[in-house]
Amino acid sequence: MFLSVQTVDLSTNGDVKDGDNHYNAAEIEELVFSKLLERPRALNMDRQRSCDERSLFELGVVMSPRFSSRADNSSRVIDHADFVYSPSRRSGFTSPMSQTGFETYPMVAEAWDALRRSLVHFRGQPVGTIAALDNSDEKLNYDQVFVRDFVPSALAFLMNGEPEIVKNFILKTLRLQSWEKKIDRFHLGEGVMPASFKVLHDPVRNSETLMADFGESAIGRVAPVDSGFWWIILLRAYTKSTGDISLAERPECQKGMRLILSLCLSEGFDTFPTLLCADGCCMIDRRMGVYGYPIEIQALFFMALRCALLLLKQDDEGKEFVERIVKRLHALSYHVRGYYWIDLKQLNDIYRYKTEEYSHTAVNKFNVIPDSLPEWIFDFMPTHGGYFIGNVSPARMDFRWFALGNCIAILSSLATPEQSTAIMDLIESRWEELVGEMPLKVCFPAIESHEWRIVTGCDPKNTRWSYHNAGSWPVLLWLLTAACIKTGRPQIARRAIEVAEMRLMKDSWPEYYDGKLGRYIGKQARKNQTWSVAGYLVAKLMLEDPSHLGMVALEEDKQMKPLMKRSNSWTF
């Protein structure tokens, strides 16, 4: 996109005149950014429409989103439009001058150096990044490769044209999934992905082996629910970035997805389409009252289902899962969009709820007592803005804000366009509370006093405004940036990145920050935390080239139609 030299005037006050239109600097930035988003990366987007933009009706109701059946079913016609990608182009941040013409920052070069030093090798190949390179304290499990922690590292490598590291990680964790998972004589589900793994070196035998943790070594002995979802999301990001569908089509990858889906799509006594889970099973991996149906898990669940819908083959085994996924997506989106959403109007409705309502005509379906509304929410809720609350269950709503769940809701299009805009409005309106002096609050507000004792079990690490209890986590910067780009609000991300750049490298890339404003390095935070480094890099890379957003974002499904049956021999 070019602004014509003949028609553009730069006035002395810094504004731009284009014919009869006048633009200030901020408006010019937004105009340029919108054109960047429109820029095709490799294929002509006017001629080929991405499968990501198709509705669930087109994708999943009928069997194959990417394959047309033939009579002998011996071959498939692949629609590569879903995998539009940019040829492996290394970011200019690794060279003195980027291809977009912007000079690089010393902080970015330092971040790349730190990320590469965190690489873990297995039998000569890089297979992930270590959680932290902090040698100032006992390692605990920070010397391992975590599935969820590696995601921002993987995205940075993909955006820099280095997909092999990501491919190796996907295949090695898939191998670990197939291991027998036994904890205190109890067998976990076959599809559970490890929370982390480490490489064990045997100098005597000169050999290397992998050791995985499925929760048997974790604090609290809780198995990870989110690892499998992140794995599917990363597989889709790899496929989208490289255009290589062969990895996802491997029999072992298809089986791995089906095993994960078997776990989370199983039917039981639950009447909700949301996924029931234990406390401490996700990023907030210690007791914080995050159990039942937390928004973080539901948003990841939704996104993983949508990614799986694009990646699953439509063979005999895959067809059943596609049908189950589509049904669940319809119910899940309806449930979360309706019951988890809160804004000023909904808050006022809850404030006036009647209780003990019976039958299908009930308005207060979960029998929430209005007196249970926390005092802080009345001041926190802006006139314009809203968010998905932390949890919904019978007689209980967790009204806390959780950053990851709300950002993933935007990226997966679990949030409607209107809801996505409202979440961004909330962040801008409550900048001091949610961003402050270091982005981004993992949740808000902190729980304290008697409630802290009851909910956390007096956890000394989760004291108020620390760690998972409303601490500030730099890794969340990449999720915020992606959500900002998708909603057309890059200025919010740019402002947050500028805040982070003032201290993050000087403080040696801490894991988290403490205090209401995120002013203090976390009391037990590890330095040189890899996902703090990678989260910053991904945020910078996405702002440099907004088309990278396609790896981690899905377009809204505008035709959430009821499930319909079609012939197995259909084509498109």
Side-chain angles (χ1 to χ4, degrees), residues 73-129:
N73 201 30
S74 60
S75 62
R76 297 184 304 276
V77 178
I78 310 246
D79 180 0
H80 289 275
D82 178 45
F83 305 113
V84 175
Y85 71 104
S86 173
S88 295
R89 180 180 73 81
R90 293 181 183 272
S91 166
F93 284 136
T94 57
S95 58
M97 183 74 72
S98 76
Q99 294 186 16
T100 53
F102 296 105
E103 290 187 2
T104 187
Y105 298 92
M107 184 170 171
V108 175
E110 168 64 26
W112 273 116
D113 181 64
L115 184 60
R116 296 194 187 285
R117 283 188 283 111
S118 73
L119 282 170
V120 173
H121 291 77
F122 177 68
R123 297 177 183 173
Q125 292 185 324
V127 293
T129 50

Side-chain angles (χ1 to χ4, degrees), residues 71-315:
D72 61 358
N73 201 30
S74 60
S75 62
R76 297 184 304 276
V77 178
I78 310 246
D79 180 0
H80 289 275
D82 178 45
F83 305 113
V84 175
Y85 71 104
S86 173
S88 295
R89 180 180 73 81
R90 293 181 183 272
S91 166
F93 284 136
T94 57
S95 58
M97 183 74 72
S98 76
Q99 294 186 16
T100 53
F102 296 105
E103 290 187 2
T104 187
Y105 298 92
M107 184 170 171
V108 175
E110 168 64 26
W112 273 116
D113 181 64
L115 184 60
R116 296 194 187 285
R117 283 188 283 111
S118 73
L119 282 170
V120 173
H121 291 77
F122 177 68
R123 297 177 183 173
Q125 292 185 324
V127 293
T129 50
I130 199 171
L133 283 170
D134 187 356
N135 298 318
S136 62
D137 200 355
E138 58 177 328
K139 287 186 171 58
L140 292 178
N141 55 359
Y142 284 82
D143 63 344
Q144 300 187 27
V145 179
F146 281 79
V147 172
R148 76 173 70 95
D149 290 39
F150 179 68
V151 171
S153 297
L155 295 176
F157 286 123
L158 287 173
M159 292 176 186
N160 203 46
E162 301 177 65
E164 283 303 310
I165 303 169
V166 183
K167 183 177 182 179
N168 294 338
F169 172 85
I170 289 171
L171 292 175
K172 287 296 179 288
T173 48
L174 189 62
R175 176 187 169 192
L176 297 174
Q177 182 199 39
S178 65
W179 288 10
E180 181 183 38
K181 296 170 277 288
K182 188 175 181 180
I183 301 177
D184 293 337
R185 301 184 181 182
F186 181 75
H187 288 266
L188 291 179
E190 190 179 0
V192 174
M193 279 286 183
S196 63
F197 67 87
K198 68 184 301 182
V199 178
L200 297 179
H201 302 269
D202 186 340
V204 176
R205 297 182 178 180
N206 193 26
S207 63
E208 294 179 336
T209 57
L210 295 176
M211 183 180 73
D213 176 19
F214 294 92
E216 69 271 25
S217 300
I219 295 173
R221 298 302 188 264
V222 179
V225 173
D226 61 342
S227 291
F229 297 153
W230 280 122
W231 186 88
I232 293 176
I233 292 167
L234 184 57
L235 178 60
R236 185 259 175 185
Y238 170 89
T239 307
K240 186 76 174 180
S241 173
T242 64
D244 175 17
I245 64 174
S246 63
L247 178 62
E249 288 191 330
R250 288 193 184 189
E252 59 267 36
C253 284
Q254 291 290 311
K255 181 181 178 182
M257 278 191 287
R258 292 195 301 268
L259 288 174
I260 294 169
L261 295 170
S262 294
L263 278 176
C264 59
L265 292 174
S266 59
E267 297 174 348
F269 292 98
D270 207 334
T271 60
F272 300 165
T274 41
L275 189 65
L276 183 64
C277 64
D279 211 344
C281 66
C282 52
M283 176 182 173
I284 298 177
D285 57 8
R286 294 165 77 106
R287 185 174 174 183
M288 270 291 293
V290 182
Y291 60 91
Y293 309 93
I295 185 62
E296 177 173 324
I297 291 297
Q298 311 318 317
L300 285 170
F301 182 29
F302 183 87
M303 188 165 190
L305 290 179
R306 290 202 64 191
C307 289
L309 199 60
L310 296 166
L311 297 171
L312 280 171
K313 282 186 178 182
Q314 300 308 305
D315 50 23

Side-chain angles (χ1 to χ4, degrees), residues 16 22 39 105 175 220 298 352 405 413 519 559:
V16 171
H22 294 265
R39 185 181 64 193
Y105 298 92
R175 176 187 169 192
Q298 311 318 317
R352 293 168 50 84
S413 290
R519 182 172 294 175
Q559 302 180 37

Side-chain angles (χ1 to χ4, degrees), residues 357-425:
E357 292 183 298
Y358 179 76
S359 87
H360 64 278
T361 60
V363 176
N364 185 2
K365 296 182 180 180
F366 299 102
N367 198 36
V368 176
I369 311 300
D371 287 345
S372 69
L373 283 164
E375 290 185 8
W376 62 264
I377 196 171
F378 295 99
D379 293 328
F380 180 70
M381 183 62 67
T383 302
H384 301 288
Y387 64 100
F388 291 106
I389 63 175
N391 215 327
V392 174
S393 56
R396 179 181 179 272
M397 284 188 172
D398 183 348
F399 290 96
R400 286 176 295 174
W401 146 273
F402 287 88
L404 192 150
N406 277 272
C407 288
I408 291 291
I410 291 174
L411 296 179
S412 65
S413 290
L414 173 59
T416 66
E418 295 76 18
Q419 289 172 334
S420 297
T421 297
I423 293 171
M424 289 293 110
D425 289 342

Side-chain angles (χ1 to χ4, degrees), residues 281-529:
C281 66
C282 52
M283 176 182 173
I284 298 177
D285 57 8
R286 294 165 77 106
R287 185 174 174 183
M288 270 291 293
V290 182
Y291 60 91
Y293 309 93
I295 185 62
E296 177 173 324
I297 291 297
Q298 311 318 317
L300 285 170
F301 182 29
F302 183 87
M303 188 165 190
L305 290 179
R306 290 202 64 191
C307 289
L309 199 60
L310 296 166
L311 297 171
L312 280 171
K313 282 186 178 182
Q314 300 308 305
D315 50 23
D316 291 338
E317 292 178 290
K319 288 178 181 178
E320 176 194 353
F321 282 100
V322 167
E323 291 184 345
R324 292 169 66 187
I325 288 171
V326 173
K327 287 180 180 178
R328 193 63 166 263
L329 284 173
H330 281 277
L332 186 60
S333 61
Y334 174 85
H335 185 90
V336 175
R337 288 173 180 176
Y339 301 134
Y340 280 70
W341 182 253
I342 192 165
D343 52 22
L344 189 60
K345 179 184 181 302
Q346 180 65 8
L347 178 60
N348 195 67
D349 289 343
I350 297 173
Y351 180 71
R352 293 168 50 84
Y353 266 168
K354 295 179 180 179
T355 58
E356 303 296 330
E357 292 183 298
Y358 179 76
S359 87
H360 64 278
T361 60
V363 176
N364 185 2
K365 296 182 180 180
F366 299 102
N367 198 36
V368 176
I369 311 300
D371 287 345
S372 69
L373 283 164
E375 290 185 8
W376 62 264
I377 196 171
F378 295 99
D379 293 328
F380 180 70
M381 183 62 67
T383 302
H384 301 288
Y387 64 100
F388 291 106
I389 63 175
N391 215 327
V392 174
S393 56
R396 179 181 179 272
M397 284 188 172
D398 183 348
F399 290 96
R400 286 176 295 174
W401 146 273
F402 287 88
L404 192 150
N406 277 272
C407 288
I408 291 291
I410 291 174
L411 296 179
S412 65
S413 290
L414 173 59
T416 66
E418 295 76 18
Q419 289 172 334
S420 297
T421 297
I423 293 171
M424 289 293 110
D425 289 342
L426 176 86
I427 293 173
E428 281 198 302
S429 298
R430 296 292 175 256
W431 187 264
E432 287 298 304
E433 292 92 335
L434 302 180
V435 179
E437 296 186 18
M438 180 55 64
L440 181 66
K441 287 293 180 192
V442 68
C443 67
F444 182 89
I447 54 177
E448 46 192 327
S449 303
H450 181 65
E451 185 183 11
W452 167 77
R453 295 184 181 91
I454 296 298
V455 173
T456 73
C458 300
D459 187 348
K461 197 168 186 177
N462 272 333
T463 53
R464 62 179 185 172
W465 309 110
S466 179
Y467 200 48
H468 298 315
N469 192 4
S472 299
W473 291 70
V475 64
L476 296 171
L477 192 61
W478 81 264
L479 286 155
L480 174 64
T481 300
C484 290
I485 293 174
K486 188 178 181 191
T487 54
R489 311 274 279 272
Q491 71 279 3
I492 300 178
R494 189 168 289 107
R495 182 183 175 190
I497 291 172
E498 288 173 355
V499 170
E501 286 178 333
M502 294 176 66
R503 296 183 54 197
L504 197 52
M505 185 177 72
K506 294 178 182 177
D507 294 340
S508 300
W509 310 97
E511 180 184 14
Y512 64 94
Y513 285 78
D514 287 352
K516 283 188 176 182
L517 298 178
R519 182 172 294 175
Y520 309 102
I521 298 175
K523 58 187 175 183
Q524 295 186 44
R526 299 306 170 102
K527 299 290 187 70
N528 298 306
Q529 186 81 15

